[in-house]
């Protein structure tokens, strides 16, 4: 029988990294939108 | 029905307010240690004095008024409202005797600004302020942002009956975890992780820029706390402009976004539900809000003389929309540039970003994107109702942590808070204009104070009239509490006065 230990720290670390990835991606999208808008300005 | 507060209610309120005041006094150990470590002996005396006053006054309140009943919801609202004021009055003491403020009122202004995570300041000669005083100003962001009440729940009150009521009154009325203690501990845990990472990253940036290590570390910690707790204080008079670093601005923007994220979303993501952030109405409304306002700011800056290049559009446009919308208030402009060089359209976008605000259950201020999302849903619902056959039942659903139905009660609550914010924004602007400031700048400053942002066109200064200082203190206080707790406090005071008058007559 295999026994697995589930540590909340692994979930939290992955969650933190996921948040940072989403924030960075969001900033990239906003920067692109702002760049395009500035060209029209 | 209006229920007049009884003497035993006053005892409960005084007791819990006293505990919170003692807590603020004990928190002064942090700047005291900073002062002693760095040999700032005058400042150390300021904090010993402040601790003495806070502990004596707080213990007197708490011990003289032993409560003989648990804290109910109404009293919890009053304690919450009073706590911010009592804590500010206490926290202002060491600042007032520091020599960096023209008067006690100016120090009180900064203490309220710090605790409500606003960031407007009346400090003088900031560039030469003692490290320990800067530590206290920024530490106020941390204890205020994470909630004096939550701190009290975690540390002082424990699991006694009042804890849950206090937590709800704080404006964070959704349970993240089943137990209120676990919830406040989770909030502190997420904060500790972000503050540690942010401080390390910014210290690296500062060291790379050539700062000496102690200064680099302290500035990094202060900037991290100011951004993650969406506060906005800075240790330099030029604020974020002082660093002239795109890396500094990138890290601080990440911290601002993390700080404005609803703690429920943090909890969901950290526990494995990664897709909640994409489904959530609040996150969607916030993202759309920032995208649209960034586009308008960029469009406006594109036609200016100074800020039309791509890097300026990002570092002066998008940065300020995010700083405004998250309620942080860090700025990379000289205050005079808002009016002189920034352009009307871009400034309008920043004003709207401040007014709308970040997410609920976070340290951000303003109307909040959850309410805006619900109001937009409500408008769409009304249009659909008017187009549907009379026999049809039209409903609107939204996803916020779970699938929910948009009820008239929810919509009314969102609209009520929206109206209260708008009335306060405009009233403050009119008072500012009455004092002789241009209406645009008065509106900017009024929204900045009420939405706990901290951006300033220069109206907020030690030279501004005392009446305006008091008004902004009230606006920061009211905005932080989203009005209800403060209105409850004033209503109970009015009822008490009326009851006493009727008893005499």
């Amino acid at each position: 029988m295999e026994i697995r230990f589930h540590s909340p720290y692994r979930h939290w670390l992955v969650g933190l990294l996921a948040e940072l990835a989403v924030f960075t991606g969001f900033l990239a999208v906003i920067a692109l939108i702002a760049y395009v808008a500035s060209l029209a300005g | 029905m209006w229920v007049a507060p009884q003497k035993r209610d006053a005892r409960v309120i005084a007791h819990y307010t006293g505990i919170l005041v003692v807590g603020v006094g004990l928190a002064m150990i942090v700047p005291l240690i900073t002062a002693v470590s760095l040999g700032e002996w005058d400042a150390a005396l300021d904090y010993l004095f402040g601790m003495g006053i806070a502990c004596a006054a707080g213990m007197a309140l708490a011990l003289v008024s032993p409560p003989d009943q648990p804290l109910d919801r109404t009293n919890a609202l009053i304690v919450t409202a009073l706590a911010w004021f009592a804590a500010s009055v206490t926290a202002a003491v060491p600042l007032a005797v520091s020599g960096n403020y023209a008067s006690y009122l100016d120090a009180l202004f900064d203490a309220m600004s710090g605790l409500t995570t606003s960031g407007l300041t009346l400090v003088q000669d900031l560039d030469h302020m003692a490290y320990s005083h800067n530590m206290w100003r920024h530490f106020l962001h941390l204890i205020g942002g994470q909630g004096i009440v939550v701190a009290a729940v975690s540390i002082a009150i424990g699991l006694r009956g009042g804890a849950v009521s206090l937590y709800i009154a704080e404006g964070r009325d959704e349970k993240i975890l089943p137990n209120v203690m676990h919830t406040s501990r989770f909030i502190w845990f997420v904060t500790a992780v972000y503050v540690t990472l942010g401080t390390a990253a910014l210290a690296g940036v500062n060291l790379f820029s050539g700062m000496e290590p102690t200064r680099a570390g302290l500035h990094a910690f202060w900037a991290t706390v100011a951004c993650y707790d969406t506060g906005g204080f800075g240790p330099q008079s030029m604020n974020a402009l002082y660093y002239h670093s795109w890396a500094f601005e990138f890290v601080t923007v990440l911290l601002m976004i993390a700080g404005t994220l609803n703690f429920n979303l943090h909890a969901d993501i950290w526990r494995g539900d990664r897709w909640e952030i994409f489904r959530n109405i609040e996150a969607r409304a916030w993202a759309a809000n920032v995208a649209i306002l960034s586009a308008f700011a960029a469009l406006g800056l594109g036609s200016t003389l100074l800020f039309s290049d791509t890097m300026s559009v990002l570092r002066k446009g998008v940065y300020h929309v995010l700083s405004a919308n998250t309620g942080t208030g860090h700025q990379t402009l000289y205050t005079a540039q808002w009016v002189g060089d920034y352009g009307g359209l871009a400034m309008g976008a920043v004003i709207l970003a401040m007014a709308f605000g970040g997410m609920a259950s976070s340290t951000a201020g303003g109307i909040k994107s959850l309410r805006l999302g619900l109001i937009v849903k409500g408008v769409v619902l009304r249009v659909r109702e008017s187009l549907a056959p009379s026999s049809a039942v039209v409903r609107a659903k939204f996803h916020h942590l779970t699938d929910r139905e948009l009820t008239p009660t929810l919509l009314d609550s969102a609209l009520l808070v929206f109206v209260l914010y708008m009335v306060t924004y405009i009233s403050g602007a009119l008072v500012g204009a009455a004092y002789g400031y241009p209406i645009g700048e008065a509106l900017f400053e009024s929204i900045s104070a009420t939405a706990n942002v901290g951006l300033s066109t220069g109206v907020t200064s030690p030279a501004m009239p005392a009446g305006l200082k008091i008004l902004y203190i009230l606006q920061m206080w009211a905005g932080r509490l989203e009005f209800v707790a403060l209105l409850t406090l004033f209503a109970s005071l009015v009822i008490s006065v009326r009851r006493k008058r009727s008893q005499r007559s």
Side-chain angles (χ1 to χ4, degrees):
Chain A
M1 190 177 74
E2 188 185 8
I3 299 172
R4 289 188 177 188
F5 293 97
H6 292 279
S7 164
Y9 295 105
R10 186 176 155 273
H11 266 308
W12 292 344
L13 180 64
V14 175
L16 171 70
L17 294 175
E19 281 189 0
L20 291 174
V22 171
F23 298 162
T24 308
F26 174 69
L27 280 178
V29 172
I30 296 295
L32 184 65
I33 291 170
Y35 172 68
V36 173
S38 70
L39 294 179
Chain B
M1 188 176 78
W2 297 94
V3 180
Q6 308 293 317
K7 264 192 179 171
R8 58 185 184 169
D9 293 314
R11 271 206 299 274
V12 174
I13 292 164
H15 178 78
Y16 282 103
T17 307
I19 290 176
L20 289 162
V21 168
V22 171
V24 174
L26 294 178
M28 289 181 200
I29 196 89
V30 173
L32 178 63
I33 289 171
T34 310
V36 172
S37 315
L38 299 171
E40 296 174 339
W41 303 111
D42 286 350
L45 287 176
D46 296 341
Y47 287 98
L48 279 175
F49 178 65
M51 283 177 86
I53 297 244
C55 292
M59 284 176 79
L61 263 179
L63 295 176
V64 168
S65 323
D68 51 5
Q69 64 179 35
L71 195 62
D72 62 22
R73 187 179 166 84
T74 308
N75 288 342
L77 282 169
I78 294 170
V79 169
T80 306
L82 272 178
W84 292 100
F85 188 72
S88 299
V89 168
T90 314
V93 173
L95 296 178
V97 295
S98 70
N100 287 90
Y101 293 88
S103 63
Y104 178 78
L105 180 64
D106 289 11
L108 177 64
F109 184 100
D110 261 38
M112 181 63 87
S113 179
L115 283 166
T116 57
T117 70
S118 299
L120 291 170
T121 183
L122 297 179
V123 68
Q124 294 182 327
D125 197 18
L126 177 60
D127 297 334
H128 300 101
M129 194 178 210
Y131 282 140
S132 45
H133 290 312
N134 261 318
M135 178 61 83
W136 183 230
R137 291 171 74 238
H138 290 84
F139 199 65
L140 289 179
H141 278 335
L142 187 66
I143 55 179
Q146 299 318 117
I148 289 173
V149 178
V150 174
V153 168
S154 307
I155 298 160
I157 298 173
L159 285 168
R160 277 190 272 157
V164 175
S165 303
L166 276 169
Y167 191 78
I168 291 168
E170 178 80 352
R172 294 171 180 165
D173 52 356
E174 294 159 304
K175 282 185 181 175
I176 299 168
L177 297 170
N179 180 309
V180 71
M181 289 298 286
H182 289 157
T183 300
S184 53
R185 278 182 195 150
F186 177 78
I187 290 173
W188 280 103
F189 176 70
V190 174
T191 302
V193 169
Y194 267 105
V195 168
T196 306
L197 288 178
T199 303
L202 290 177
V205 172
N206 290 343
L207 285 170
F208 186 75
S209 305
M211 265 191 202
E212 59 93 10
T214 306
R215 194 153 178 264
L218 286 172
H219 275 235
F221 175 69
W222 296 334
T224 299
V225 166
C227 290
Y228 182 73
D229 282 300
T230 67
F233 277 159
Q236 300 291 149
S237 54
M238 285 200 292
N239 204 266
L241 181 63
Y242 173 78
Y243 302 95
H244 285 293
S245 162
W246 65 264
F248 183 92
E249 289 159 26
F250 177 70
V251 174
T252 53
V253 152
L254 285 181
L255 288 166
M256 288 177 205
I257 298 174
T260 202
L261 198 74
N262 190 318
F263 270 109
N264 296 287
L265 279 173
H266 277 300
D268 271 7
I269 296 166
W270 286 42
R271 284 181 301 179
D273 185 2
R274 318 253 185 273
W275 296 106
E276 174 62 28
I277 196 167
F278 297 105
R279 294 193 304 261
N280 191 289
I281 185 177
E282 186 174 28
R284 286 180 175 185
W286 181 80
N289 198 2
V290 170
I292 293 166
L293 293 172
S294 293
F296 275 111
L299 195 63
L301 289 183
S303 59
T304 59
L305 287 174
L306 283 182
F307 306 126
S308 57
D309 63 288
T310 304
M311 281 310 274
S312 291
V313 164
L314 299 181
R315 294 178 62 182
K316 310 292 180 189
V318 174
Y319 187 87
H320 284 119
V321 167
L322 278 164
S323 177
N325 192 255
T326 57
T328 306
H330 262 189
Q331 62 185 54
T332 54
L333 286 175
Y334 296 105
T335 50
Q337 286 184 305
W338 285 111
V339 178
D341 304 318
Y342 206 67
L345 182 59
M347 194 166 160
V350 171
I351 287 176
L352 284 178
M354 288 196 291
F356 291 159
M359 297 191 206
S361 294
S362 76
T363 57
I367 295 165
K368 307 269 164 60
S369 47
L370 177 59
R371 295 192 180 103
L372 294 174
L374 293 181
I375 290 168
V376 170
K377 276 260 175 199
V379 171
V380 173
L381 177 65
R382 289 282 181 271
V383 173
R384 282 175 56 209
E385 277 174 345
S386 62
L387 292 174
S390 56
S391 58
V393 178
V394 183
R395 287 184 175 149
K397 289 194 171 178
F398 65 95
H399 183 84
H400 178 59
L401 310 170
T402 57
D403 288 329
R404 301 176 189 200
E405 188 175 332
L406 181 62
T407 61
T409 311
L410 266 179
L411 192 55
D412 286 350
S413 305
L415 282 168
L416 175 68
V417 177
F418 179 87
V419 169
L420 285 170
Y421 268 106
M422 294 308 283
V423 167
T424 314
Y425 291 155
I426 294 167
S427 308
L430 292 175
V431 174
Y435 272 109
Y437 293 98
I439 186 72
E441 291 176 50
L443 181 65
F444 190 101
E445 224 77 6
S446 170
I447 293 176
S448 182
T450 312
N452 304 128
V453 178
L455 291 174
S456 175
T457 58
V459 171
T460 300
S461 75
M464 77 175 171
L468 210 49
K469 291 175 186 173
I470 292 168
L471 177 72
Y472 290 164
I473 287 173
L474 288 173
Q475 284 184 284
M476 290 188 281
W477 189 18
R480 173 68 209 192
L481 292 169
E482 299 194 333
F483 307 102
V484 176
L486 200 57
L487 292 175
T488 307
L489 171 66
F490 289 141
S492 72
L493 286 175
V494 170
I495 295 165
S496 299
V497 171
R498 277 190 182 173
R499 192 184 61 177
K500 279 191 178 172
R501 277 187 187 167
S502 63
Q503 280 173 348
R504 276 180 205 158
S505 61

